[in-house]
Amino acid sequence: MKLALIASLAAPVMICCASTMAQAIAIDGTCDAAYGNPKASQVVHTGFGNATDGVNSNANGSELDAAYIKIDAANGYLYVFMAGNLESNFNKLDMFIDSVPGEGQNELRSDNADIDYNGLNKMGRDVVNGYAGLKFDAGFAADFCLMTTLGGSPITQYANIAQVLTSGGGVGAYIGSGAFSGPTGVNLVDDQVYGCQLSISNKNTGGVSGDSANPGSGCGVVTGIEMRIPLALLAWDGASDIKVCAFINGNGHDYVSNQVLGSLPLGKGNLGGDGVGGYIGGFPGALRGVNFASIPGDQYFSAFGPDACGFCFGDLDASGEVDAGDVSLCLLDTGSCLGCASDLDSTGEVDAGDVSLVLLSTGACQ
C-alpha cells in the first residue's frame, strides 16, 4: 500500500472529466448537507482568540467547532470540513490522517518530508537529545499530513501535504495558495498536480467562546475550513475507517492550542509545547510534551465513528426528519436573529440562505 502512495504523490493525479467524477461537494468553506452530521464537536473554550470579525477572509481568532468527514469512494475523494475559524496571522491548522491500518507514525519522527519550513519535522522526536515527538492516541498512527495557514495582504490561504511513512522519509509538497478578492469574497486553493482543493470561510462568530467559565458549544457552526483530498494519496484500501486528528498550532508549528478535534476535556487550556501551556521551541522536539494518549478521550474522529452534537442538521423541530415544519420555523425566524438555531449559516440573521440549507437537507435524519 505504501508503494502505491509513493507513486501517487510522486506523480500527478489524473483528474477525470467524465460525469462519474463530478464533484458532489463544492469546496467553498460552507458545510454541505451531503456531509451528514458532524463526527466531532468542540467543548473547550478557545485559547487562541474568539473570532468576532464575521467576514469570509480575515479572522481575529482561531477555533475548531466541529468536524465533518465524508468518503466519496465512487469519485475517489475524501472530504473534510472543519467548522470554525483560522486566524489570519499565519497560525496553522495541522491535520493528520490515519488511513492505512498497521502503518504510520504514532509518535512523529523528525526525518519526514520537509514541508512548510520543516514544520512537520519540528514536531518530531529528537533522537540526539532523547526528546519525544508529538504522540497521538493509542488507536491512531498518522499516514498523511495536511497543513494550511492564512495571512498576508491580500489575505491568502496556503497549503502543504506530505506522506507520514512508518519508517520516515516520503514525499511532501507545497500545493499552492488561494487569495481572497476582498473581505466578503471567496477563495480556493486548487491544486492541479495532486488534485487537492481547500477553501476557508471565516465569517463564523458563533461556536465556542473565549471564556473558560462559559465555553459554549461548537455545534451548529456551518462555515470554516474545507478540503478535498484524493483517496489515492491516502493509500486507502477501500474498506477501512479513516481517522483524523486536527489542531490549531502556532505560526511556527511549535505551540499547540486547546482547539483539537476530537476535543480535549472541558476546561483544558492550550497545550503549548510541554503539554501544559509552556513554550519549548527548538528543532526537533518542539512539542515533546504533547501526548494525546495521556489526555482523557480520543483526540481524533473518524468517518465510521458515531455522530456528535446529537442533532440532525436542519431538523429545527427535532422530529427526526427535515421537512416542511423546519422550513416554516426558519421562515418564522426571518430577520436579525443572532444565535438562533434557524441561523444555519451563522450570519446573524435568518434569510434565504438558511431556508436553502434546510431545503437541501430535506429527508429523514441518518
Side-chain angles (χ1 to χ4, degrees):
M1 293 300 293
K2 288 298 175 181
L3 290 177
L5 180 56
I6 291 172
S8 65
L9 261 177
V13 171
M14 182 178 293
I15 307 298
C16 299
C17 296
S19 59
T20 54
M21 288 295 290
Q23 186 171 317
I25 295 176
I27 304 301
D28 56 7
T30 300
C31 188
D32 292 283
Y35 280 104
N37 292 328
K39 295 298 184 180
S41 63
Q42 189 62 258
V43 302
V44 180
H45 70 288
T46 176
F48 262 41
N50 186 35
T52 58
D53 286 341
V55 296
N56 274 355
S57 59
N58 53 286
N60 57 344
S62 293
E63 59 190 69
L64 295 180
D65 289 303
Y68 298 73
I69 180 170
K70 179 179 178 62
I71 300 172
D72 182 0
N75 294 315
Y77 292 112
L78 176 72
Y79 292 92
V80 180
F81 180 81
M82 308 297 300
N85 305 83
L86 183 61
E87 189 169 0
S88 48
N89 65 347
F90 293 107
N91 280 345
K92 317 296 185 183
L93 171 65
D94 289 337
M95 190 176 83
F96 293 88
I97 299 176
D98 180 352
S99 54
V100 184
E103 299 285 345
Q105 298 176 22
N106 176 257
E107 177 186 355
L108 289 181
R109 302 168 59 106
S110 57
D111 56 355
N112 296 302
D114 178 356
I115 58 170
D116 201 15
Y117 304 98
N118 227 1
L120 175 57
N121 288 323
K122 183 182 285 188
M123 294 185 275
R125 66 173 173 258
D126 183 342
V127 177
V128 174
N129 293 302
Y131 297 148
L134 180 145
K135 295 179 180 178
F136 298 102
D137 284 292
F140 189 97
D143 301 295
F144 186 85
C145 173
L146 184 149
M147 297 173 168
T148 189
T149 190
L150 186 72
S153 181
I155 302 293
T156 302
Q157 182 182 9
Y158 304 87
N160 293 265
I161 59 173
Q163 296 171 293
V164 186
L165 304 179
T166 306
S167 56
V171 178
Y174 167 68
I175 58 171
S177 63
F180 285 88
S181 56
T184 60
V186 295
N187 82 309
L188 180 67
V189 179
D190 190 10
D191 163 30
Q192 295 295 307
V193 177
Y194 301 110
C196 299
Q197 288 187 342
L198 295 91
S199 184
I200 291 179
S201 172
N202 262 326
K203 66 181 181 180
N204 167 59
T205 57
V208 295
S209 73
D211 182 0
S212 61
N214 297 285
S217 169
C219 295
V221 177
V222 294
T223 56
I225 309 148
E226 188 170 23
M227 60 207 76
R228 183 194 78 180
I229 305 168
L231 289 166
L233 296 184
L234 306 178
W236 184 56
D237 62 13
S240 299
D241 200 0
I242 295 180
K243 306 172 186 176
V244 177
C245 172
F247 51 88
I248 301 294
N249 206 343
N251 57 26
H253 297 284
D254 53 10
Y255 191 90
V256 179
S257 75
N258 63 351
Q259 295 300 285
V260 183
L261 286 177
S263 182
L264 300 174
L266 185 66
K268 190 78 170 176
N270 293 329
L271 300 181
D274 62 1
V276 291
Y279 176 79
I280 297 175
F283 179 91
L287 301 182
R288 54 185 177 269
V290 178
N291 181 358
F292 290 130
S294 69
I295 300 172
D298 290 332
Q299 277 71 61
Y300 65 86
F301 56 93
S302 74
F304 299 166
D307 291 346
C309 292
F311 75 96
C312 172
F313 185 81
D315 183 20
L316 301 176
D317 58 6
S319 66
E321 63 179 341
V322 181
D323 54 20
D326 302 295
V327 175
S328 296
L329 287 175
C330 207
L331 290 171
L332 286 170
D333 285 338
T334 297
S336 180
C337 201
L338 187 64
C340 287
S342 300
D343 183 19
L344 295 172
D345 56 8
S346 301
T347 62
E349 64 178 347
V350 178
D351 53 20
D354 302 293
V355 175
S356 296
L357 288 173
V358 173
L359 291 172
L360 287 169
S361 304
T362 298
C365 296
Q366 300 299 311

